[in-house]
Amino acid sequence: MTDRKTELARNLTAVEERIATACAAAGRKREEVTLIVVTKTYPADDVRLLHELGVRHVAENRDQDAAPKAAACSDLDLTWHFVGQLQTNKVRSVAGYADVVQSVDRLKLVNSLSAAAVRTGRELGCLIQVALDAESGHRGARGGVAPDGIEQLAAAVADAPALRLDGLMTVAPLAGPYAGRQRAAFERLMEFSSRLRSGHPAANMVSAGMSADLEDAVAAGATHVRIGTAVLGVRPRLG
Ligand SMILES: *Cc1c(COP(=O)(O)O)cnc(C)c1O
């Protein structure tokens, strides 16, 4: 193995152990939690190594980086998640490679994602990104709809051609009442998920938890954790 592959393998093993331990502590089956490796800022070669090591879900947050990487890895059976704030002028590109867009947070985005998915002939999974610290009618600092906007957006996704409503996503807030209270934040997200599933039973994905707080997310009931740093290392630049 190359040095890099050895390093990634070691990091993956450590993350796998953390997830398994968190599942055991929460009385959950390990299969209930899917690891998504966030490969932003890292090269396509790393994505390839991760695939060799068994990773099947990867995430990116910027179309400029993601589009060429996805193209370079198009021979691999990977599920690509888009997790960044998304401008409508990037939607057409993202719809060409993303399987799931986790950052759906406004109606305009729903409409352009739907139009782009129809055009490319692909079905796009969508998660509503929830900003737990956003006031009614506003979006969060890192994207996301205020909690009272979830239902309307979910209905729009569910009705939109070529889109599939898969569930909810959040990033633990840095400010506001949930700052530093990841477990409480993720539990709140689970409440919104239960409410959502009562009207949309198939929308059962809950994407929460990153390198620093995956245990809190698994304890709360997340189905997907998004891990970057703990697998790939500290990012060379902001992203
Ligand atoms: C970068 C990023 C992650 C991964 O964060 P780490 O702390 O590196 O694990 C997860 N979710 C989103 C939305 C991100 O942008």
Side-chain angles (χ1 to χ4, degrees):
M1 276 206 263
T2 60
D3 289 352
R4 182 59 169 158
K5 191 171 179 183
T6 306
E7 181 185 5
L8 291 175
R10 191 179 54 229
N11 291 347
L12 270 178
T13 301
V15 166
E16 183 51 45
E17 276 172 21
R18 285 177 61 189
I19 297 173
T21 302
C23 284
R28 303 181 63 193
K29 295 201 193 79
R30 171 62 190 90
E31 311 86 79
E32 292 176 27
V33 180
T34 300
L35 168 64
I36 302 172
V37 178
V38 184
T39 48
K40 64 187 180 193
T41 78
Y42 285 96
D45 286 349
D46 279 350
V47 177
R48 213 161 263 288
L49 292 174
L50 289 166
H51 182 271
E52 287 173 19
L53 293 166
V55 170
R56 291 296 177 267
H57 291 262
V58 292
E60 289 282 330
N61 73 335
R62 289 173 44 144
D63 176 61
Q64 300 92 302
D65 298 336
K69 232 183 274 186
C73 298
S74 62
D75 57 315
L76 305 178
D77 59 329
L78 285 167
T79 297
W80 290 82
H81 298 257
F82 192 87
V83 298
Q85 294 189 50
L86 182 51
Q87 303 305 316
T88 45
N89 63 349
K90 305 290 187 196
V91 158
R92 195 166 178 171
S93 171
V94 169
Y97 58 85
D99 299 289
V100 181
V101 175
Q102 299 205 358
S103 44
V104 176
D105 62 0
R106 59 202 192 277
L107 277 177
K108 195 176 162 201
L109 193 51
V110 174
N111 296 331
S112 47
L113 282 167
S114 175
V118 167
R119 211 183 293 122
T120 55
R122 305 177 71 227
E123 187 182 56
L124 264 185
C126 292
L127 302 187
I128 308 298
Q129 182 181 344
V130 181
L132 293 164
D133 56 340
E135 308 268 342
S136 176
H138 291 78
R139 280 194 286 146
R142 292 188 284 175
V145 66
D148 68 353
I150 296 171
E151 197 49 55
Q152 187 196 16
L153 265 187
V157 170
D159 286 345
L163 301 186
R164 185 183 68 239
L165 179 65
D166 281 346
L168 300 182
M169 180 271 242
T170 204
V171 178
L174 294 173
Y178 288 104
R181 299 173 58 225
Q182 284 87 338
R183 175 78 180 264
F186 298 146
E187 282 172 352
R188 190 84 182 112
L189 186 71
M190 287 308 298
E191 291 172 18
F192 295 128
S193 170
S194 304
R195 209 172 295 167
L196 178 72
R197 279 176 282 141
S198 69
H200 307 274
N204 57 8
M205 266 179 78
V206 181
S207 173
M210 317 200 297
S211 293
D213 54 22
L214 77 85
E215 285 82 3
D216 290 315
V218 171
T223 63
H224 291 69
V225 292
R226 309 178 307 268
I227 310 299
T229 313
V231 172
L232 288 139
V234 175
R235 281 180 288 279
R237 56 185 165 86
L238 281 183

